[in-house]
Amino acid sequence: MGRLFSFEDVAVAFQGVALLEGVDLELPESGCTVLVGPSGAGKSTLLRLCNRLEAPTAGVLRFRGEDVAALDPLRHRRRVGMVFQRPVAFGGTVLDNLRVARPELTVDAAAEALDQVGLPPLFLEREQATLSGGEGQRACLARTLLTEPEVLLLDEPTASLDAGAATGLERLAKDLAGRGTSLLWVTHDAAQAERLADRLVVVDGGRVEARWT
Amino acid sequence: MTGGPVRLLAATADTGRVGPLGLAASLILVAVVVVVSRWRHLDLGRQVVVACALALVQLLLVGVGLGLVVGDGRPLWPSWIWVAAMLLYAAWITARRAPEVAGLFGLALLALAAALAVSLAVVFGLGVFRLTSRTLVPTAGLIVGNALTSTVVVARRAVEDLRDKRPEVEARLALGLPAEQAARPHLRSALRTALSPQIERTRAVGLVALPGAMTGLLLAGVDPLVAVAVQVVVMYLVLGSAAVVGAVLALGLIPRLFTADHRLRELPRPADSA
């Protein structure tokens, strides 16, 4: 199986504080890799590196063998989509929000995008900011999927959701993984990690402590 | 009641000249504020007195300086030096107000100079005023003074909005949008905040209050229609220059607030970075 991301002695520091140190890690293609660890362990920083919202202060990060620093960042971000901890509404309707990802999106295509995440077409006219946590996160996922990512990064996406909405999102993620999208899921919830993981990476204190397949 | 002081005050109003007695009379309301502040324990008296004293000293110094530079038949180069000093000071003030932005002094200087160049080209190039030391410094002062408000508001608002709404900005970036597009709603909001007061003032001019230049000319005994014409020129210049300076600054902020690979830089709060 090919390598999706390779971390080669990667470090990230901010104002002299190390967020990640000496990370050597290879993440294979396909399936769901779960990064698990306590709050402040550096999991989110690892994920943000993959989407290039952060850059390593030392070491090299490769995506399918290519140095991420040498890739076109905008194209890379569309190939490696990201869903954040809390749903982020841009203002306007759900349709307006979807069109941020794909400006030429037709109403029919937008309805299909919502259908993919289990939301009815009626939601297109709803103000995105008025959606519940679970609905908002699904709408954000639909927005991210419109860039047709090959990899999906999910940064504690169920942290602000109730149990029912969290289970629904987990099911959706498993479904996407089953259809060939590679997933990197960050969580501090060990039970959730166990439910989702095809492989598990434990991060603590800015270091990769263990990994299982 | 037709004695000296009253006659003197009436005379100053006719000629637009203010003597020491007129100056003292204008302080009556300030004295009322001080008395009311003491009476109601508002703790404003000292601030008001200090502000008034500072304003008087600063304006007297400026008046003395202007007296050396401005006048009929005086050469233009000292006025240009005065204008350059105003630009440098305004750029410095802007940079101080948003210390999170690296290189803001140069950018603010460029934006202010661009707005001033366009405005002066219109005013003097098209013959609205004749280019003399008496017209150059006041016109440039009006433009730079108002443009400064714009640069400070745009810079501050843009930094605060991008910092406070980082998740929104990064969500746009994560979708593959370039920095210009990710920042656009926030820069637009900063520009609106900067320009709205100018637009409102322009809209309400004359209905709510007579503007400064016009009031000054009327007090100096100029014909009201001439005063109106000058005020209109000033108003359009102020609005136009505020828009130009805001737009140049907003565009120039993007490479200073984002990295070359379209990441939003860390924008620590000034207190945090101290």
Side-chain angles (χ1 to χ4, degrees):
Chain A
M1 194 181 288
R3 288 164 192 160
L4 187 65
F5 283 103
S6 308
F7 293 75
E8 298 170 8
D9 199 20
V10 168
V12 177
F14 176 61
Q15 291 182 340
V17 178
L19 305 177
L20 286 177
E21 283 182 283
V23 173
D24 282 302
L25 180 66
E26 288 189 349
L27 301 174
E29 293 272 7
S30 81
C32 182
T33 301
V34 175
L35 305 173
V36 70
S39 295
K43 312 181 295 293
S44 295
T45 307
L46 259 173
L47 212 61
R48 287 165 61 83
L49 282 170
C50 295
N51 186 261
R52 209 168 158 180
L53 285 175
E54 299 280 352
T57 41
V60 178
L61 170 62
R62 296 185 189 280
F63 176 61
R64 291 184 176 141
E66 288 186 89
D67 186 349
V68 169
L71 298 172
D72 171 9
L74 305 183
R75 188 162 173 269
H76 176 71
R77 286 181 185 144
R78 292 179 83 83
R79 293 173 75 190
V80 182
M82 186 152 177
V83 175
F84 295 85
Q85 195 168 347
R86 290 175 187 281
V88 181
F90 293 147
T93 63
V94 171
L95 180 60
D96 295 333
N97 271 258
L98 294 177
R99 281 180 174 157
V100 173
R102 200 191 290 173
E104 75 288 355
L105 189 73
T106 64
V107 173
D108 287 344
E112 266 179 49
L114 285 191
D115 183 53
Q116 207 180 350
V117 297
L119 290 176
L122 224 63
F123 272 69
L124 286 175
E125 295 309 314
R126 296 259 309 263
E127 288 291 312
Q128 174 111 3
T130 64
L131 302 184
S132 71
E135 293 164 349
Q137 200 61 300
R138 280 169 183 261
C140 287
L141 179 58
R143 193 171 65 195
T144 301
L145 290 176
L146 281 171
T147 65
E148 296 173 358
E150 300 154 37
V151 184
L152 198 56
L153 313 172
L154 300 115
D155 188 4
E156 305 210 35
T158 58
S160 60
L161 308 188
D162 60 46
T167 308
L169 200 68
E170 282 179 21
R171 203 176 301 131
L172 201 57
K174 287 296 269 185
D175 187 36
L176 284 168
R179 281 187 270 153
T181 308
S182 302
L183 301 188
L184 255 69
W185 183 299
V186 159
T187 184
H188 63 267
D189 178 351
Q192 184 178 57
E194 207 170 309
R195 283 197 299 277
L196 288 170
D198 293 317
R199 66 198 71 85
L200 201 63
V201 176
V202 180
V203 184
D204 198 4
R207 291 180 174 279
V208 172
E209 294 293 340
R211 63 208 84 180
W212 290 283
T213 302
Chain B
M1 288 296 285
T2 56
V6 174
R7 204 170 51 222
L8 183 57
L9 286 175
T12 60
D14 281 347
T15 61
R17 289 178 186 278
V18 177
L21 203 59
L23 203 60
S26 69
L27 283 172
I28 289 174
L29 274 178
V30 176
V32 170
V33 173
V34 173
V35 170
V36 170
S37 168
R38 272 216 176 152
W39 175 40
R40 306 305 302 173
H41 305 289
L42 299 178
D43 203 21
L44 283 173
R46 194 169 168 275
Q47 289 176 49
V48 170
V49 170
V50 168
C52 287
L54 267 178
L56 181 64
V57 172
Q58 283 166 202
L59 285 175
L60 279 174
L61 285 173
V62 169
V64 170
L66 275 176
L68 298 172
V69 172
V70 172
D72 294 330
R74 291 261 165 83
L76 270 176
W77 65 264
S79 299
W80 283 116
I81 291 176
W82 188 287
V83 171
M86 279 195 299
L87 277 175
L88 289 169
Y89 185 64
W92 180 72
I93 295 264
T94 309
R96 273 193 53 189
R97 294 284 190 275
E100 304 93 327
V101 186
L104 184 55
F105 175 82
L107 173 62
L109 189 62
L110 178 75
L112 288 161
L116 184 64
V118 171
S119 303
L120 294 185
V122 170
V123 172
F124 298 120
L126 301 180
V128 178
F129 297 140
R130 207 160 55 82
L131 178 59
T132 66
S133 65
R134 194 175 283 284
T135 52
L136 177 58
V137 172
T139 309
L142 257 171
I143 293 160
V144 174
N146 283 283
L148 171 62
T149 313
S150 223
T151 57
V152 169
V153 173
V154 169
R156 264 288 16 110
R157 271 303 299 252
V159 168
E160 281 165 13
D161 214 46
L162 288 169
R163 177 171 54 213
D164 295 345
K165 295 182 180 159
R166 176 177 279 273
E168 202 179 306
V169 179
E170 291 196 329
R172 284 178 199 271
L173 292 173
L175 288 169
L177 267 61
E180 301 81 51
Q181 281 184 39
R184 192 176 291 156
H186 309 281
L187 294 179
R188 196 164 44 207
S189 155
L191 265 175
R192 273 201 193 131
T193 307
L195 292 183
S196 289
Q198 299 279 15
I199 293 169
E200 287 309 315
R201 263 201 298 274
T202 306
R203 201 197 300 260
V205 73
L207 300 175
V208 180
L210 294 182
M214 192 173 149
T215 305
L217 288 169
L218 288 174
L219 285 173
V222 171
D223 179 79
L225 281 180
V226 174
V228 164
V230 172
Q231 183 60 53
V232 168
V233 170
V234 166
M235 216 169 50
Y236 291 167
L237 282 179
V238 163
L239 186 60
S241 58
V244 169
V245 85
V248 172
L249 196 79
L251 284 175
L253 280 174
I254 293 168
R256 285 165 175 81
L257 297 174
F258 290 83
T259 60
D261 61 349
H262 305 268
R263 285 181 290 119
L264 180 60
R265 293 180 196 277
E266 289 298 331
L267 299 169
R269 291 181 190 281
D272 297 343
S273 58

